[in-house]
Amino acid sequence: MRTYPCPHDEFHPLEGLEARCLMSGADVLPFTLYYPEGYAHAAINEFVPITNTNASEVRYEVLARYEVGDRDHVLASGVIPVNTRGGITINSSGNPAGMLVRPDTPYALIVRSSAPVAATLSHYDFGTAIGESFTDHLDDVWTFGEGYKDHNWTRDFVVFYNPTDDNVTVTLTAYTGNGSTIQLTKDVGAQRRGGWNLDAEAGVPAGVFGVRVHASAPIVAALSHYEIVTQRGFGTLGTAGGGATAGVVTAIEFDDTIDDHGGGGGGGGGSDDGTPTYPANSYLTVLNTTAQTATVTFTFLAREDGVPLSNNVRTITVLPQSRGGVSIRDLGFPLDDRFGVVYRADVPVTVTAAVYEGRDATGEEAATIAATSWTFGEGFMSRLRAGTDVTEDIYLFNPSGQTVTVTVDFLFSNGQAVQVTKPLDRLEIEDVKAHATQALLDMGPDVFYGVRVTASSPIVASMEHWDHSLGGGFATLGIAGGTIVNLGDILVG
């Protein structure tokens, strides 16, 4: 298994960190964020960057809730100043003595705070990177379009956290492409993390499938996908509520180049490190859990100006209670096109985008809501490696028929900020490249920040980050705030 150096040295130690005393209680820390996945041992790097986007300081605590054994563990508590990025290092492979959690014991992560914050899980394992925003949303149904079982190739984990004070019964249903289904059921105690290693479930057949997780009370659920041969993988929260009739993936692409410099995502550069690499492809997978056939139309839009690509509309049908989708490689688009895709369906479906670059992958559920605020706990840029080894893109999509003014604030660990303002035309996808923003590069040789996106009317915002020195990248939607609406209610044709 590959290991990597810690990329977040500003977390050692976090300035202003208070003693690890429990500050819990709804009256003290009323805001909560969840991510149901967490795991550490000496070869894993795991971080939780946290950004305060408020006009006053924020008190916070980070907890682990273990799947087995003693349940509760306060990992850190502290104060983050106004408009500042902070966070914690849970484990660094270069400093196993500093591990904050019990090794080799699965857990969920919870961030409590005195005002809303943004938090991201950054996890490096199996030679790949997983990055995903925490969520404040709980639901009794979560769905995923992308699942795969092959003992010699992959390890897929569906994990969840029960935030209630009662036992919860959770049922996983796997849907194949031919309409057959497989069910697994598990009872999980109060405030416990649970889940399935699908490779170890004899009842789940090898191959591709979609997944529905249904619980007897609201939970949060995520999927972690690792390819143990290619060292590519991703993590993603599910689609809450079981799907939608409209959604958008802000960035998906297909580059047929065999990449041997340790990453992808439009960066280029780097050098051959001798590690085997694998052909690239991208997929849009669709899960239809309804009792009728779904007709799903994909419209592909060029980034920046919202101009449709040539021959840009594709329509597929997905059988009832089945999983389907399209391969981007097979659509015939030019290899240098980078685009977003809007879907519409006649019944609620779940769409997942999986992008497999030369040596890592990104995965993201299609956004089914739009909001006037999106926040990200994570952000990093290296001046010397910007645009080559390190790339970071903030994708903005305007689903409406009117021009929208969008402001992107990069909020640094020292309290300073850089602001970028963009007007977005009808159906425009704008790419704000952190690695090409000179004011950001001028902040220092290596800078850590969070990101706040605000808009005059609801939009969609996501982040894609690649670091070739770490061998991986990730994509994630931000945490939605402000005015939040169903995307289908404002999406123009």
Side-chain angles (χ1 to χ4, degrees), residues 67-434:
E67 185 167 326
V68 296
D70 290 343
R71 189 189 68 180
D72 303 332
H73 190 173
V74 180
L75 306 182
S77 61
V79 173
I80 304 177
V82 174
N83 288 331
T84 297
R85 147 84 177 257
I88 68 169
T89 293
I90 292 177
N91 187 58
S92 167
S93 62
N95 181 31
M99 186 183 301
L100 300 184
V101 292
R102 294 206 307 265
D104 300 307
T105 307
Y107 49 86
L109 290 165
I110 296 93
V111 176
R112 292 172 171 167
S113 57
S114 58
V117 296
T120 304
L121 174 72
S122 296
H123 180 95
Y124 298 83
D125 191 11
F126 289 99
T128 187
I130 284 181
E132 180 75 343
S133 295
F134 281 54
T135 183
D136 60 0
H137 187 83
L138 301 172
D139 210 297
D140 60 355
V141 175
W142 295 83
T143 45
F144 308 84
E146 181 79 357
Y148 188 56
K149 181 179 178 180
D150 181 335
H151 180 73
N152 296 319
W153 192 264
T154 62
R155 296 293 184 270
D156 275 18
F157 303 86
V158 174
V159 297
F160 57 87
Y161 171 64
N162 170 20
T164 76
D165 292 326
D166 299 304
N167 289 352
V168 168
T169 299
V170 183
T171 299
L172 179 151
T173 305
Y175 299 81
T176 67
N178 61 11
S180 62
T181 60
I182 303 94
Q183 284 196 340
L184 307 171
T185 299
K186 182 169 292 191
D187 291 325
V188 179
Q191 305 287 345
R192 287 283 190 183
R193 176 281 204 9
W196 292 271
N197 173 359
L198 296 183
D199 180 67
E201 296 293 339
V204 177
V208 296
F209 45 83
V211 171
R212 179 180 186 263
V213 175
H214 177 259
S216 57
I219 61 170
V220 59
L223 181 146
S224 296
H225 171 83
Y226 298 101
E227 293 188 350
I228 58 176
V229 175
T230 67
Q231 296 187 325
R232 301 188 293 199
F234 60 85
T236 181
L237 289 167
T239 296
T245 56
V248 63
V249 174
T250 54
I252 192 167
E253 58 206 42
F254 164 52
D255 183 350
D256 205 24
T257 303
I258 303 298
D259 173 14
D260 197 28
H261 60 250
S271 60
D272 187 341
D273 64 3
T275 303
T277 54
Y278 301 88
N281 199 4
S282 299
Y283 303 90
L284 290 167
T285 55
V286 181
L287 172 62
N288 173 19
T289 64
T290 75
Q292 66 184 78
T293 298
T295 300
V296 185
T297 299
F298 296 107
T299 302
F300 294 85
L301 303 173
R303 298 180 193 167
E304 306 293 343
D305 55 12
V307 174
L309 305 173
S310 176
N311 192 26
N312 72 313
V313 178
R314 300 288 195 279
T315 297
I316 65 170
T317 57
V318 182
L319 295 175
Q321 299 189 339
S322 296
R323 182 250 200 206
V326 296
S327 162
I328 302 301
R329 175 194 289 269
D330 297 337
L331 295 182
F333 295 134
L335 295 183
D336 58 354
D337 275 342
R338 301 178 184 278
F339 42 84
V341 57
V342 172
Y343 84 82
R344 288 187 181 275
D346 57 352
V347 296
V349 297
T350 300
V351 173
T352 304
V355 177
Y356 294 89
E357 298 283 355
R359 199 168 59 174
D360 202 6
T362 65
E364 187 177 316
E365 298 291 298
T368 60
I369 60 172
T372 54
S373 170
W374 296 85
T375 52
F376 305 82
E378 173 74 291
F380 169 75
M381 188 49 56
S382 171
R383 181 191 296 162
L384 293 179
R385 299 188 291 137
T388 54
D389 277 356
V390 181
T391 61
E392 190 168 274
D393 301 85
I394 309 297
Y395 296 112
L396 312 170
F397 171 64
N398 174 17
S400 73
Q402 283 74 44
T403 299
V404 177
T405 300
V406 182
T407 299
V408 181
D409 291 302
F410 298 92
L411 306 174
F412 295 86
S413 298
N414 61 5
Q416 295 181 281
V418 167
Q419 187 173 92
V420 176
T421 300
K422 298 282 187 180
L424 267 63
D425 293 332
R426 174 185 185 272
L427 292 179
E428 181 175 0
I429 299 174
E430 176 74 26
D431 180 359
V432 177
K433 298 178 174 66

Side-chain angles (χ1 to χ4, degrees), residues 430-452:
E430 176 74 26
D431 180 359
V432 177
K433 298 178 174 66
H435 52 274
T437 302
Q438 190 60 48
L440 187 153
L441 299 178
D442 290 341
M443 295 297 292
D446 291 308
V447 289
F448 301 83
Y449 48 85
V451 179
R452 175 179 58 208

Side-chain angles (χ1 to χ4, degrees), residues 25-89:
D27 56 333
V28 178
L29 301 176
F31 297 92
T32 306
L33 294 173
Y34 309 92
Y35 199 77
E37 173 72 291
Y39 192 83
H41 56 61
I44 289 175
N45 292 304
E46 188 170 272
F47 316 95
V48 180
I50 304 170
T51 299
N52 173 18
T53 63
N54 299 281
S56 59
E57 70 178 21
V58 167
R59 290 171 295 123
Y60 76 94
E61 66 182 14
V62 182
L63 299 90
R65 302 282 199 190
Y66 292 98
E67 185 167 326
V68 296
D70 290 343
R71 189 189 68 180
D72 303 332
H73 190 173
V74 180
L75 306 182
S77 61
V79 173
I80 304 177
V82 174
N83 288 331
T84 297
R85 147 84 177 257
I88 68 169
T89 293

